[in-house]
Amino acid sequence: MSPPTSWGIEPAPTIMALLLLAAYVPRWWRVRRSTDRDDAPIWRLASWIGGALTLVVAQGNPIDGWGDSLLVMHMVQHLLLLDVMPLLLLFGLNRVLMRPITRRVQWLEQRLGIIARPWFGLVAYTLGMWLWHVPALYDAAARSDTVHLLEHMTFTGVGFLYWWHLLRPIPSRERMTAMGPMVYMGVTKVTVGLLGMALTFAPGAMYAFYETGENWWGLTPTTDQAMAGALMATEQVLIMGVAFGVLFIRGLQEAERTARREEALLDREEAERERREAEERAAAPSALDAG
């Protein structure tokens, strides 16, 4: 038996998605038409639109409705809000696109203190995942729309904070360097991976809400839970792999830009040295003539 299917969108996430587009698209278009055209490629616009659409899809039906019947579909919803949406939105940004608000963002980070530090994002991401999968809290979110909203706001908030520190599009003193991102992602993969394994290999169903429901698609509560845990673990590997690839490419690009700046500096120094030598040679005959 399959769970009931109804297609539709929710007003609140749809309005939020429209606000995201209204804030981004005009700025992207202005940069696209300026001398900084290369900093507003089509793929960044597509990424931002994808992030906004992910919010609508995650909170709308059938995913939201199926999440009331199947733990694995509830997990899909969580992962879309925790990882996919923040990543797509952040991929849509860079320092040029964010130039009008860069100082305000930096000012806010300074006022937030430890909340704006990478280690806080790592802890918040991990604790958010673990705490909301405690059976009592998970069941409460499944039964109460208010608690469910709080759960989703938590996942969205900690997800954006976590990925912000990895993909930061603007300069900051808190930016990780060297092996920092690798450690950051490695710790997350282990801590969240353990949660996925716990769900996958638990001997029985952990959430009473799903134990009392219908066995949709022929899935028992234990099998449904195992699929949700396996999905979480697999998604972590895939998402971390994508993030690693992006960081690697960014590192190569930054190294190339640094090399170009150093080469340009050396060229200027060489040109200045040759100019001084030429002036000295030009002045030498004059000095001999005067003697």
Side-chain angles (χ1 to χ4, degrees):
M1 182 184 299
S2 300
T5 301
S6 62
W7 297 85
I9 59 177
E10 293 294 322
T14 302
I15 292 173
M16 180 61 68
L18 291 174
L19 290 175
L20 288 171
L21 293 175
Y24 181 88
V25 174
R27 173 60 184 168
W28 179 89
W29 181 245
R30 283 194 293 271
V31 175
R32 182 75 175 177
R33 299 182 65 186
S34 71
T35 56
D36 294 319
R37 174 186 176 86
D38 291 343
D39 290 298
I42 297 294
W43 71 265
R44 288 198 185 275
L45 174 64
S47 183
W48 185 272
I49 293 174
L53 289 177
T54 299
L55 174 61
V56 176
V57 171
Q59 296 284 60
N61 286 317
I63 290 179
D64 190 58
W66 286 348
D68 293 335
S69 305
L70 292 165
L71 179 58
V72 66
M73 294 309 300
H74 202 178
M75 184 65 71
V76 168
Q77 190 177 44
H78 290 173
L79 296 177
L80 288 173
L81 295 173
L82 180 76
D83 291 324
V84 178
M85 183 184 73
L87 275 172
L88 288 173
L89 292 178
L90 287 170
F91 284 154
L93 299 174
N94 58 29
R95 66 176 63 192
V96 173
L97 290 169
M98 290 193 67
R99 189 174 290 157
I101 63 171
T102 295
R103 290 186 178 180
R104 277 174 281 180
V105 173
Q106 292 172 334
W107 177 89
L108 179 61
E109 287 184 324
Q110 292 172 1
R111 299 303 183 276
L112 289 175
I114 63 172
I115 296 177
R117 295 182 179 177
W119 69 262
F120 185 90
L122 172 59
V123 172
Y125 184 96
T126 302
L127 283 181
M129 285 293 282
W130 275 89
L131 288 176
W132 279 110
H133 285 88
V134 170
L137 287 176
Y138 203 97
D139 286 334
R143 292 190 170 95
S144 168
D145 290 339
T146 302
V147 181
H148 198 194
L149 176 61
L150 178 60
E151 177 190 48
H152 287 181
M153 290 175 63
T154 301
F155 284 140
T156 302
V158 300
F160 192 86
L161 183 62
Y162 176 86
W163 291 110
W164 172 265
H165 290 300
L166 275 174
L167 304 175
R168 172 180 293 281
I170 60 176
S172 171
R173 291 176 297 178
E174 299 296 336
R175 185 168 186 171
M176 291 180 286
T177 57
M179 293 299 295
M182 301 301 103
V183 175
Y184 191 80
M185 288 190 292
V187 171
T188 309
K189 186 175 181 298
V190 172
T191 54
V192 178
L194 289 173
L195 175 59
M197 292 176 62
L199 293 174
T200 303
F201 298 106
M206 297 169 58
Y207 304 110
F209 179 83
Y210 291 101
E211 279 190 283
T212 57
E214 299 283 349
N215 291 346
W216 300 116
W217 292 330
L219 299 175
T220 65
T222 303
T223 303
D224 181 25
Q225 178 177 286
M227 289 177 62
L231 175 64
M232 178 192 293
T234 302
E235 186 265 356
Q236 283 290 306
V237 172
L238 293 176
I239 289 292
M240 293 300 171
V242 170
F244 177 82
V246 170
L247 290 172
F248 181 74
I249 293 172
R250 176 185 288 182
L252 292 178
Q253 292 173 339
E254 289 181 353
E256 183 178 357
R257 285 194 293 267
T258 300
R260 287 178 179 176
R261 286 195 296 268
E262 292 176 350
E263 184 177 352
L265 179 60
L266 290 174
D267 289 343
R268 286 196 296 270
E269 291 176 349
E270 180 66 22
E272 179 64 20
R273 185 166 57 251
E274 290 178 354
R275 184 187 64 80
R276 287 197 302 267
E277 291 175 352
E279 290 177 351
E280 291 172 358
R281 286 194 300 268
S286 300
L288 292 174
D289 293 342

